[in-house]
Amino acid sequence: MAKPQRLYHILSSAQFTREFLEDFFRSVDSFVTQLGQRPSKPTKDMLAAMYRNYLMFNFFYEPSTRTRFSFATAGNRLGMRVEGTDNAKLFSSAAKGESLAHTIATLSAMAPDLIVIRHHENGELEEVAHRSAVPIINAGDGSNEHPTQTLVDLYTIYRVMGRLDNIRIAIGGDLKYGRTVRSLVQVLSLFDDIRLLFVSPKALSIDDETRAHLHIAGIPFVEEYKITANLRIADIVYWTRTQAERATEEELGSFDPDDFKISLETMAMFKQSMALLHPLPINNEIAPEVDNDERALYFTQAGYGVPVRMALIDYLLHGYDVQTPEFSPIPGVAKIWQR
Ligand code: NCD
């Protein structure tokens, strides 16, 4: 029997298959159970023995709260040491003009076990990941992708719905620059009987590549340019903020934010059994009072960031101590698959 393909660097949601996700979520389930609300001392000791003396580099060129802390927490819970920097644009040699390729080659030469990077340039990480002998995880690259957030989002949907097929999902906000949506949509198309409703300002709608991908995958979708009563039947409403740091003045001025704001009145229109998710941070696209609605599950979602990333670290490191597939310290085309 052919050996199943194993992921090495985690750079894009396009790498995830349905089989991988189903297996992976079983592993996340087990970490969720072990962690509980707060793990007991014996559980902490047991978990911390798993990767004691392993080392994670956490390198963030763009701001982050959830992703950086949940990677660090996941690593710490598994006994790893975590080194790194935020604001790497300023606090790493990038400030002295070093390229990402050279930074990665340097970090890799120090032989950590794992490198987590958030970078501001779309797709650059994928180009240079082969410069690393150890797994690289994309923690968000510009407006391109955020594959580990997708694992968190999809795991939350699976916990809430108890299934991943046959779901109506409304996705709203800035769908042009939001990397979490671009990554999430790619995996949703792996499942059966998914219907999508996109709600965004016209200037910030999904791109043609995403539309083409959905057409090819046979996923029906509708695009709307403000909140309407069509949201009534959504099982999941996944909302996002406007990426003001990426959008142009013209795009930002082209719409009324109130048309995209989820208020208590909007919540009253939603199904009783639905869940409201958001990758966070929230600006003004969800009214603060909505936090109290039991269907607003974005903090639960953020909490899953730790067990999801523990499972990912375990997946990447378990039994793969001494291997450097496709490692090539010279420039070339990145290959994101191992074996
Ligand atoms: C998102 C991100 O960084 O892309 N946040 C996250 O990682 N949870 C969403 C955002 O910045 O809007």
Side-chain angles (χ1 to χ4, degrees):
M1 215 170 81
K3 223 175 155 206
Q5 207 166 36
R6 251 192 106 79
L7 303 177
Y8 196 66
H9 302 308
I10 303 292
L11 300 170
S12 161
S13 283
Q15 293 172 274
F16 303 143
T17 60
R18 183 174 180 141
E19 292 67 34
F20 165 81
L21 291 164
E22 284 172 352
D23 259 18
F24 180 74
F25 287 170
R26 271 196 283 278
S27 166
V28 182
D29 280 341
S30 118
F31 282 111
V32 168
T33 308
Q34 289 178 75
L35 291 174
Q37 292 285 36
R38 280 177 74 190
S40 63
K41 180 158 191 322
T43 304
K44 279 183 196 152
D45 291 345
M46 195 230 352
L47 289 170
M50 287 178 75
Y51 291 98
R52 182 169 296 139
N53 297 332
Y54 280 63
L55 179 60
M56 176 201 292
F57 285 167
N58 223 343
F59 229 72
F60 279 65
Y61 291 78
E62 284 191 336
S64 173
T65 301
R66 277 144 291 271
T67 308
R68 194 165 73 81
F69 271 80
S70 59
F71 265 115
T73 306
N76 283 323
R77 286 272 185 240
L78 291 170
M80 300 177 81
R81 291 187 60 106
V82 182
E83 289 293 335
T85 182
D86 47 12
N87 206 349
K89 253 188 201 174
L90 211 64
F91 297 147
S92 77
S93 283
K96 303 178 188 171
E98 185 170 66
S99 67
L100 182 62
H102 279 188
T103 302
I104 287 184
T106 306
L107 295 175
S108 160
M110 295 174 196
D113 299 288
L114 192 66
I115 303 174
V116 179
I117 299 196
R118 168 169 287 187
H119 197 252
H120 43 281
E121 293 291 347
N122 292 14
E124 198 168 321
L125 205 50
E126 194 165 329
E127 305 248 310
V128 299
H130 66 99
R131 306 289 293 261
S132 171
V134 301
I136 297 272
I137 301 181
N138 176 4
D141 63 321
S143 61
N144 184 37
E145 285 234 33
H146 196 345
T148 68
Q149 180 65 40
T150 290
L151 296 175
V152 176
D153 297 341
L154 200 68
Y155 182 75
T156 310
I157 295 173
Y158 151 79
R159 291 291 296 217
V160 169
M161 300 295 299
R163 61 176 197 268
L164 286 167
D165 296 309
N166 178 23
I167 304 179
R168 286 191 180 90
I169 307 180
I171 300 182
D174 178 350
L175 310 182
K176 177 172 179 183
Y177 296 105
R179 55 193 170 199
T180 69
V181 170
R182 187 164 294 103
S183 286
L184 179 62
V185 168
Q186 295 193 55
V187 297
L188 289 175
S189 65
L190 299 173
F191 297 91
D192 297 328
D193 199 12
I194 298 292
R195 286 143 205 259
L196 297 176
L197 169 62
F198 294 110
V199 183
S200 70
K202 205 162 195 164
L204 299 176
S205 56
I206 53 166
D207 57 29
D208 286 341
E209 209 183 313
T210 303
R211 288 188 190 99
H213 172 83
L214 290 170
H215 280 308
I216 291 165
I219 305 288
F221 66 94
V222 174
E223 292 183 62
E224 292 192 327
Y225 304 118
K226 64 176 182 178
I227 289 178
T228 70
N230 282 333
L231 280 155
R232 267 185 355 251
I233 56 169
D235 301 304
I236 300 287
V237 173
Y238 183 95
W239 225 240
T240 61
R241 75 180 170 96
T242 303
Q243 306 272 307
E245 71 275 39
R246 305 189 204 281
T248 64
E249 287 294 316
E250 202 183 338
E251 286 165 338
L252 293 174
S254 71
F255 65 95
D256 180 354
D258 283 348
D259 286 344
F260 302 93
K261 182 162 185 160
I262 297 191
S263 61
L264 287 180
E265 292 72 53
T266 330
M267 292 304 285
M269 167 179 90
F270 291 162
K271 286 204 304 200
Q272 256 326 302
S273 60
M274 61 78 72
L276 175 63
L277 306 184
H278 194 301
L280 305 178
I282 291 170
N283 294 163
N284 51 11
E285 66 283 2
I286 298 181
E289 314 80 76
V290 172
D291 289 0
N292 298 325
D293 189 303
E294 58 186 18
R295 297 167 295 171
L297 291 181
Y298 25 84
F299 296 114
T300 305
Q301 179 186 2
Y304 284 139
V306 174
V308 163
R309 289 178 171 104
M310 287 171 80
L312 188 63
I313 293 167
D314 188 36
Y315 171 86
L316 292 172
L317 299 185
H318 183 73
Y320 279 77
D321 270 354
V322 217
Q323 43 139 8
T324 56
E326 294 170 7
F327 168 52
S328 124
I330 52 162
V333 180
K335 290 194 185 128
I336 59 178
W337 300 96
Q338 181 216 0
R339 285 189 269 218

